[in-house]
Amino acid sequence: MTITDVNTAFAAEKTTQLAAAREQERAFQARVDRGEIRMISPDRYEVLTGWDRGEVFTVSRNAQGQIAAIIAQHGLDTRADGTIALYASSPAWHGLGQIIPDGTTDIDTVLALSGLDFDVTTVPALYLWDGQLREHADQQHTVRTDTGAALGAVGARYTPIQNRQGFEFLQELVGRYDVVWESAGLLRGGRRVFISIRLPEAVRVDADGINDIVVPYVAVMNDHTGNGQFQCVVTPWRPVCANTERFAVRDAVTRWAVRHTIGATSQIKEARRTLGLSAQYFEQFSAEETALARTDIALDDFQRVIADLWPLDDDATRRTRTNHAHRNDALTERFTTETARVGRTAYAAERAITGYLDHVAPRRPGKTMTEEIARATAAIEGADDDTKTKAHKRLLLLRQT
């Protein structure tokens, strides 16, 4: 008979756990020191390099201040079997989802693995008045046919575009029925879904310099709430979570959208013409970003761009001046971080401004929103698109001076 000293065994296990915790802490700090991640609030960090660049995650710590968990803010739904509602042809940055190496062409398989295997229907909008149930003739509700869960309130003419139609739309768009699906997933209980394929062309930004590689994707984002359109974008992002879904919309090279009506997805010719699925869009994208990457700028140049984007009136209040100074400090800090990665260039300046708007700029969440949801909503709705476009054009002018 073997006798185990549980106290000794516990001590050994605890020693192993502490050693692992210290190693995790050292590895995490090493990534910070190398400039791969940066702190943006006491418990939130942003990834600065690689495929995960721009992603945000939360670090929880125990009473001893050691890392207890690294929590990805993926925003993905959970399927009935408890797994994450995501299909991908290769592992996502957060390590979640159902992976089929090298992907599959079978729509039914992707629908099942991603949690998109449900239809959406509409039901009358009813209300109780004076003890009687009445119908609002001009409104209806979208609901899932598998669970009956309500998704949104819509007008009487609203016609749902089903999840399967998103796949078929992409097949017809590229004129191929052997499309290998790159990713597909489910957000907010089925209110939003995304599907993507990868285009064969890859784009390099400043091939002889920083050599940032941009892989083009075509993605469909469908909204079942009545607050958004069915849209298709050509984008450098692969949607694999709520963050990258909004990045795909934000950074789209071009996009096409249609309202939820009968025959909406049959407008393939218009979509193909608008999206122009050819290399010319990414060639222009590459040329402009390369120009920024090859344009050296001084800190004074960056400060002048900031002043153009966020001017300060001479009669501004003390509070406004304080907020203005805090914004400048935050932007300058991000610019310094980006210059360490890609040099003191206009490209670094653009990354700094975009990153500030997405992750640092103050957001006032509504009563039913968290700050993260408010940020995601702002990005999806393009709240800062004008500022980003103005910054891009202003930085391009620097190469001519």
Side-chain angles (χ1 to χ4, degrees):
M1 181 175 62
T2 302
I3 299 176
T4 301
D5 185 335
V6 293
N7 292 316
T8 301
F10 175 80
E13 181 180 351
K14 196 65 176 177
T15 299
T16 301
Q17 291 175 347
L18 290 172
R22 285 192 292 268
E23 180 57 34
Q24 183 182 36
E25 195 74 47
R26 282 194 296 269
F28 187 83
Q29 187 58 47
R31 293 191 67 192
V32 174
D33 295 341
R34 289 195 300 267
E36 296 176 3
I37 56 178
R38 70 187 291 269
M39 179 186 289
I40 57 177
S41 72
D43 61 349
R44 293 172 67 244
Y45 291 80
E46 177 191 1
V47 180
L48 301 175
T49 61
W51 293 106
D52 303 346
R53 189 171 70 208
E55 295 295 344
V56 175
F57 60 91
T58 300
V59 175
S60 64
R61 297 181 180 274
N62 57 27
Q64 290 72 42
Q66 299 168 327
I67 295 176
I70 296 177
I71 306 166
Q73 296 177 356
H74 54 78
L76 294 162
D77 288 349
T78 302
R79 302 190 307 164
D81 62 3
T83 57
I84 294 297
L86 170 71
Y87 151 85
S89 65
S90 59
W93 64 269
H94 42 61
L96 301 172
Q98 326 308 312
I99 311 301
I100 294 183
D102 300 323
T104 179
T105 62
D106 185 64
I107 294 177
D108 289 321
T109 298
V110 179
L111 284 169
L113 293 178
S114 62
L116 299 181
D117 52 346
F118 64 88
D119 285 338
V120 175
T121 190
T122 56
V123 297
L126 305 176
Y127 63 97
L128 189 65
W129 180 261
D130 196 23
Q132 293 184 336
L133 201 59
R134 298 186 180 183
E135 179 180 344
H136 188 171
D138 295 329
Q139 276 199 327
Q140 51 188 348
H141 293 290
T142 52
V143 299
R144 293 178 54 156
T145 56
D146 58 342
T147 64
L151 303 176
V154 299
R157 297 178 59 189
Y158 183 98
T159 301
I161 298 176
Q162 304 300 341
N163 296 332
R164 176 179 287 275
Q165 289 179 272
F167 290 87
E168 295 170 346
F169 174 85
L170 284 175
Q171 286 180 328
E172 294 182 31
L173 186 67
V174 298
R176 295 183 60 175
Y177 295 91
D178 59 347
V179 170
V180 176
W181 305 108
E182 183 67 26
S183 67
L186 188 63
L187 303 168
R188 297 174 56 213
R191 292 174 175 84
R192 287 187 66 84
V193 304
F194 58 81
I195 310 161
S196 76
I197 59 175
R198 176 176 176 169
L199 294 178
E201 303 87 0
V203 177
R204 293 179 184 271
V205 176
D206 191 16
D208 298 326
I210 60 173
N211 195 31
D212 261 7
I213 299 176
V214 179
V215 177
Y217 297 92
V218 183
V220 157
M221 280 79 170
N222 196 8
D223 185 291
H224 293 309
T225 68
N227 295 321
Q229 297 176 305
F230 175 95
Q231 62 178 319
C232 184
V233 298
V234 182
T235 175
W237 288 91
R238 177 182 75 154
V240 288
C241 69
N243 277 343
T244 45
E245 188 252 11
R246 72 177 190 261
F247 292 158
V249 175
R250 182 199 70 187
D251 295 337
V253 178
T254 187
R255 74 187 69 193
W256 177 84
V258 66
R259 297 176 62 186
H260 289 71
T261 56
I262 295 175
T265 58
S266 66
Q267 302 176 43
I268 293 296
K269 288 184 179 179
E270 179 191 344
R272 188 179 289 125
R273 182 174 60 251
T274 301
L275 293 167
L277 295 181
S278 67
Q280 64 183 7
Y281 287 96
F282 280 93
E283 287 172 0
Q284 180 180 351
F285 173 82
S286 174
E288 292 187 359
E289 294 302 310
T290 296
L292 294 181
R294 294 179 178 176
T295 302
D296 295 331
I297 67 172
L299 182 58
D300 288 345
D301 295 323
F302 181 63
Q303 295 291 350
R304 280 192 286 272
V305 172
I306 293 175
D308 287 346
L309 296 175
W310 292 280
L312 181 65
D313 296 333
D314 293 336
D315 59 350
T317 64
R318 178 180 296 181
R319 181 177 181 179
T320 299
R321 291 180 181 277
T322 298
N323 292 338
H324 184 82
H326 287 163
R327 182 194 301 116
N328 282 0
D329 289 344
L331 283 160
T332 301
E333 180 185 352
R334 296 190 73 88
F335 179 59
T336 301
T337 299
E338 289 293 341
T339 57
R341 187 177 68 86
V342 296
R344 192 178 288 273
T345 62
Y347 185 72
E350 183 178 51
R351 295 297 91 199
I353 292 168
T354 298
Y356 169 80
L357 290 170
D358 287 336
H359 301 306
V360 180
R363 298 287 180 198
R364 292 185 177 180
K367 292 181 179 179
T368 61
M369 286 185 173
T370 65
E371 183 178 347
E372 279 303 311
I373 292 176
R375 290 189 186 282
T377 301
I380 289 172
E381 294 178 349
D384 297 315
D385 283 358
D386 289 345
T387 303
K388 293 170 184 176
T389 300
K390 183 178 179 180
H392 180 75
K393 293 179 178 178
R394 178 67 176 80
L395 289 165
L396 282 173
L397 290 176
L398 292 177
R399 63 180 175 165
Q400 302 170 6
T401 60

